[in-house]
Amino acid sequence: MQVTTVARRNKKKAAEHENNERWLITYADLITLLLIFFVIMYSMSKIDVAKYEVIAQVLNFTFQKADSPIPAGQGVVGGANLAKFKENGDKSRSDKMQEDLAEKEKRFADTLEKIQEYIQQNNLETQISATNTPRGIAVTLNDLFLFDLGRADLKQASYPILNKLASLFPTLNTTISIEGHTDNLPLSTGSVYKDNWGLSNERSLSVLRYFIYNAKLDPKKFVSTGYGDTRPVVDNDTPENRAKNRRVEIVLLREG
């Protein structure tokens, strides 16, 4: 009987000792979580919405566990606060995009103005035009200003305007499309080009090569296309109209 009583007393003391130390586990968990939280906050020198959301989800999952000292479902960041934070981040990015777009449009306008001034000062209105289109700034050069009839070798008289354009291209940091066009008349017998497709393509490439090899511009910024007679600006019903359709267009693309 006495042995049984002693055993019960020892068991009761062990249970009391164990219960008295259970609070240390909860306390240790809380301190660990707080340490992690403050380390993360310290490391976030610049807030990023995507990273913020991921961290919030991880911490919410941790604090919502059954053995967490914080009531389940509370988390560290409320849904409304997170939504507001994301909204502010989206608004900030939108404002930045608008500012960048406005700055780029200003550079387009400045470049167009400089090209038009150069054309007027050198009395080139009948041979060159520059307009602002939805695609971008389109500089149209008459074929006889650039080439001899039926040929794709650049005339030296075209070098100054090409050099002027080359000096303005880097300020825009955009893709430049060089597009050759012809009228609908077939090429004369004995032409070195098989058809109008070949002629328009070679003329486009001649202008492209000048910008790359002579003006030393970045070739990654250029694309070259020959359209033949498939994109006339007017009907090919008179010699004057056919002359308008024979052209090279240099388009500074308004990308995106």
Side-chain angles (χ1 to χ4, degrees):
M1 183 66 178
Q2 186 175 1
V3 174
T4 302
T5 302
V6 172
R8 289 178 177 176
R9 289 176 179 175
N10 292 337
K11 185 176 181 180
K12 182 177 180 180
K13 289 181 179 180
E16 291 177 352
H17 180 72
E18 181 180 352
N19 291 335
N20 289 338
E21 294 182 352
R22 285 184 62 85
W23 67 272
L24 290 173
I25 299 175
T26 302
Y27 179 76
D29 288 343
L30 177 61
I31 293 301
T32 301
L33 291 171
L34 286 174
L35 177 61
I36 294 173
F37 174 74
F38 285 114
V39 169
I40 292 174
M41 294 299 292
Y42 177 77
S43 65
M44 293 171 63
S45 59
K46 183 178 181 181
I47 295 178
D48 184 273
V49 175
K51 293 180 180 179
Y52 182 88
E53 185 175 2
V54 171
I55 293 172
Q57 290 174 353
V58 172
L59 293 178
N60 280 335
F61 174 78
T62 302
F63 283 121
Q64 288 170 3
K65 293 171 62 178
D67 58 352
S68 172
I70 297 179
Q74 296 298 318
V76 294
V77 181
N81 291 335
L82 180 58
K84 184 176 181 180
F85 185 86
K86 291 174 64 178
E87 179 182 354
N88 291 337
D90 293 340
K91 183 178 180 181
S92 177
R93 284 197 298 270
S94 177
D95 292 343
K96 183 63 167 59
M97 291 175 61
Q98 291 294 333
E99 292 176 359
D100 292 343
L101 180 60
E103 177 62 26
K104 189 169 185 178
E105 285 302 318
K106 184 178 182 301
R107 291 198 298 268
F108 265 85
D110 291 343
T111 301
L112 177 60
E113 183 179 355
K114 291 177 181 178
I115 296 173
Q116 291 175 336
E117 287 180 357
Y118 180 85
I119 293 172
Q120 293 174 358
Q121 291 171 359
N122 293 273
N123 300 316
L124 298 172
E125 289 88 349
T126 59
Q127 299 165 312
I128 306 170
S129 64
T131 57
N132 197 356
T133 72
R135 294 180 63 205
I137 297 176
V139 182
T140 302
L141 300 98
N142 181 274
D143 72 321
L144 293 180
F145 175 73
L146 296 172
F147 314 101
D148 290 325
L149 188 63
R151 305 293 298 178
D153 302 317
L154 285 171
K155 294 180 178 179
Q156 289 190 359
S158 66
Y159 293 176
I161 181 61
L162 295 179
N163 288 332
K164 178 63 177 180
L165 293 173
S167 68
L168 299 175
F169 290 162
T171 63
L172 289 180
N173 189 29
T174 190
T175 300
I176 301 166
S177 177
I178 303 176
E179 304 166 359
H181 301 268
T182 67
D183 59 26
N184 64 344
L185 294 180
L187 299 180
S188 60
T189 303
S191 172
V192 296
Y193 309 106
K194 185 175 182 180
D195 50 28
N196 283 323
W197 287 101
L199 177 60
S200 65
N201 189 56
E202 283 301 318
R203 286 181 166 181
S204 171
L205 287 173
S206 291
V207 177
L208 170 66
R209 292 185 181 113
Y210 186 88
F211 288 136
I212 294 175
Y213 300 127
N214 293 66
K216 307 299 182 182
L217 298 180
D218 184 1
K220 296 179 182 178
K221 294 295 183 181
F222 291 89
V223 293
S224 173
T225 308
Y227 287 109
D229 60 0
T230 61
R231 297 191 179 186
V233 292
V234 292
D235 293 333
N236 285 293
D237 52 3
T238 65
E240 293 76 13
N241 283 352
R242 286 192 289 271
K244 293 178 181 178
N245 290 329
R246 297 191 302 268
R247 67 200 190 278
V248 171
E249 291 184 352
I250 303 173
V251 186
L252 284 64
L253 295 176
R254 182 180 282 108
E255 298 172 305

